[in-house]
Amino acid sequence: MIEAATPGIVAKFCHTFGAELRRSFSLDVELQLPSSGITAVFGESGSGKTTLLRCIAGLQRVQRGNLSIRDDIWQNEQTFIPTHARPLGFVFQESSLFPHLSAFGNLHYAMKRADGGVTQQEFDRIVALMGIEELSNHYPDQLSGGEKQRVAIARALLIKPRLLLMDEPLASLDLARKQEILPYLETLREEIELPILYITHSIGEVARLANYLVVMEQGRVVAQGDLADVLSRVDLPVRLGEDSGVVVQATVVERDSQWNLLRAEFPGGELWIPDGGDALDEKIRIRILARDVSLALQSHDDSSIVNRLQAEVVEIKDDVDGAMALVKLRIDSTLLLARISRRSVHHISINPGSRVWAQIKSVAIQR
Ligand code: ADP
Ligand code: MG
């Protein structure tokens, strides 16, 4: 888990591109990010995600910028550390492996940049983390898209960065390859003491990977905070519509083989979920979409819904023009969202502070 108190990355960039042109773009961001775990930068195409990353990497020099990584200043009024002198790893959408070098050739080349060198033990650990032992002698054109990205991630880690930047690393992979690589990114998040900035326009990747979330729109940060806090906002400026929903971190505590279900506990309650083969005690992320949550004043034992949780209404926000409303709920420290019609809100007459039963129609484990 992230310790909020640790000062991690502090960044501030303000710049207008193409001010002289009719179509200019302004980046105006201020970020305070944790010093470990995955921070997802989420936003539509053209919202300025890559530009932000280029500023952090020093590839884009802007008039007004401040950047510090823990105690190191990379940019302020007096200082501008050039890209090659910044200890950072970069993974792009398209792998940028050298085609004339084998997988391990690529790794060895990168290690020359590592501060203080890389021990055999460190090399073996990273190769094992990315599961690329068997690929050592393969050339990039002999690797699948997913394998190339795993080698590219290992290469980025072997320069011993203090910050890992990933710009839509899965965007050019098909669904099967994405599924193949996601567990490696989870391992990275859990095992490596390194802040990772992960750009994506996929809310599924955010739900699965992020600890911390930055939402960008038109060059600005419109929300930032812990994943659960940002996803449970009823006033998120970016309309997620049918994708609105939260991610609940839970632990598998029981297997019901007869009905093919697992019981998972989270702070404040438990959920029965379809058995996907997860082991007991395993930590899982459960995505609960707001549209799958309905509300009732009483607990209905006769309903087909398995998961009913007692909750407190925290906040209600009507769609400005539509028929729907978003209701934020609290179950102990866990936050949920329900998307129900404004008429239903009126009908069951709920307000902040009301006690309700949240009925969850279906849940999905993020994998
Ligand atoms: P995203 O990665 O979120 O899709 P980008 O950061 O690539 O968005 O682009 C955001 C906007 O910034 C685009 O409209 C792009 O044209 C503009 N932009 C980025 N860099 C420059 C530059 N050096 N000069 C002019 N415009 C730029
Ligand atoms: Mg981009």
Side-chain angles (χ1 to χ4, degrees):
M1 278 283 103
I2 291 163
E3 286 173 44
T6 328
I9 301 162
V10 180
K12 194 171 184 321
F13 299 107
C14 194
H15 188 84
T16 298
F17 296 95
E20 67 289 355
L21 307 172
R22 194 130 51 87
R23 275 201 58 211
S24 68
F25 176 81
S26 291
L27 182 77
D28 186 355
V29 296
E30 210 173 327
L31 298 166
Q32 271 193 295
L33 308 176
S35 56
S36 65
I38 295 184
T39 293
V41 180
F42 174 76
E44 282 180 11
S45 175
S47 56
K49 306 182 296 296
T50 296
T51 306
L52 168 63
L53 228 64
R54 287 174 51 80
C55 290
I56 290 174
L59 290 166
Q60 181 73 59
R61 192 165 184 160
V62 298
Q63 297 120 352
R64 282 193 292 147
N66 281 288
L67 174 63
S68 56
I69 311 291
R70 292 188 178 156
D71 298 328
D72 294 339
I73 292 167
W74 287 6
Q75 183 176 355
N76 64 17
E77 288 87 56
Q78 295 85 36
T79 321
F80 185 86
I81 308 285
T83 302
H84 65 83
R86 297 184 183 197
L88 50 84
F90 225 127
V91 179
F92 303 93
Q93 180 174 337
E94 301 294 341
S95 112
S96 49
L97 299 176
F98 292 121
H100 62 286
L101 293 178
S102 68
F104 276 23
N106 269 279
L107 300 187
H108 288 126
Y109 185 87
M111 279 154 58
K112 292 185 206 144
R113 275 193 58 200
D115 195 16
V118 176
T119 64
Q120 186 65 41
Q121 201 183 0
E122 288 167 331
F123 180 85
D124 292 344
R125 174 166 181 246
I126 287 171
V127 163
L129 274 179
M130 288 298 115
I132 53 174
E133 302 92 329
E134 312 282 300
L135 308 176
S136 56
N137 297 321
H138 290 53
Y139 283 81
D141 64 4
Q142 298 169 310
L143 300 174
S144 74
E147 290 168 341
K148 271 189 223 162
Q149 284 305 57
R150 276 150 55 200
V151 175
I153 295 168
R155 185 179 64 168
L157 293 172
L158 282 168
I159 67 156
K160 289 203 180 164
R162 303 197 63 192
L163 172 64
L164 180 62
L165 304 175
M166 305 181 98
D167 194 350
E168 311 227 16
L170 307 187
S172 62
L173 304 178
D174 60 36
L175 197 61
R177 300 280 167 243
K178 283 188 177 122
Q179 291 302 327
E180 170 198 309
I181 203 165
L182 279 163
Y184 292 98
L185 296 173
E186 287 172 327
T187 307
L188 211 60
R189 179 187 66 206
E190 303 305 325
E191 305 277 324
I192 300 266
E193 258 298 305
L194 180 72
I196 301 173
L197 226 61
Y198 184 99
I199 287 189
T200 182
H201 64 262
S202 153
I203 192 73
E205 286 170 31
V206 169
R208 171 126 178 206
L209 297 174
N211 302 108
Y212 197 86
L213 177 58
V214 173
V215 182
M216 286 192 64
E217 198 174 60
Q218 292 177 16
R220 278 157 208 275
V221 172
V222 292
Q224 64 177 311
D226 282 324
L227 180 72
D229 292 334
V230 176
L231 287 183
S232 63
R233 276 178 58 171
V234 292
D235 61 344
L236 204 60
V238 173
R239 295 242 159 263
L240 291 176
E242 295 289 290
D243 285 333
S244 296
V246 297
V247 174
V248 173
Q249 317 230 17
T251 309
V252 177
V253 291
E254 187 187 338
R255 162 164 281 113
D256 182 340
S257 305
Q258 186 188 357
W259 303 109
N260 230 345
L261 292 169
L262 293 178
R263 185 162 64 88
E265 275 181 3
F266 61 87
E270 57 177 48
L271 289 163
W272 284 99
I273 54 179
D275 188 349
D278 301 86
L280 291 185
D281 291 333
E282 199 158 321
K283 300 248 181 303
I284 53 174
R285 287 182 169 219
I286 301 172
R287 185 153 176 222
I288 304 176
L289 292 177
R291 61 167 191 217
D292 289 330
V293 181
S294 63
L295 302 180
L297 295 178
Q298 264 120 40
S299 174
H300 295 282
D301 287 339
D302 55 349
S303 122
S304 67
I305 287 174
V306 188
N307 290 308
R308 278 186 300 274
L309 302 164
Q310 202 161 25
E312 181 193 333
V313 174
V314 180
E315 204 179 344
I316 304 172
K317 171 106 177 166
D318 290 351
D319 264 0
V320 194
D321 39 9
M324 306 304 282
L326 274 178
V327 182
K328 180 171 175 169
L329 306 160
R330 189 202 309 280
I331 303 164
D332 195 27
S333 62
T334 300
L335 298 169
L336 280 190
L337 269 188
R339 189 167 148 88
I340 61 176
S341 73
R342 291 195 290 129
R343 185 167 70 183
S344 298
V345 172
H346 177 76
H347 182 66
I348 61 173
S349 151
I350 50 169
N351 292 295
S354 302
R355 304 290 303 173
V356 293
W357 288 89
Q359 309 180 127
I360 302 171
K361 194 168 156 211
S362 79
V363 296
I365 300 182
Q366 284 306 122
R367 65 159 77 81

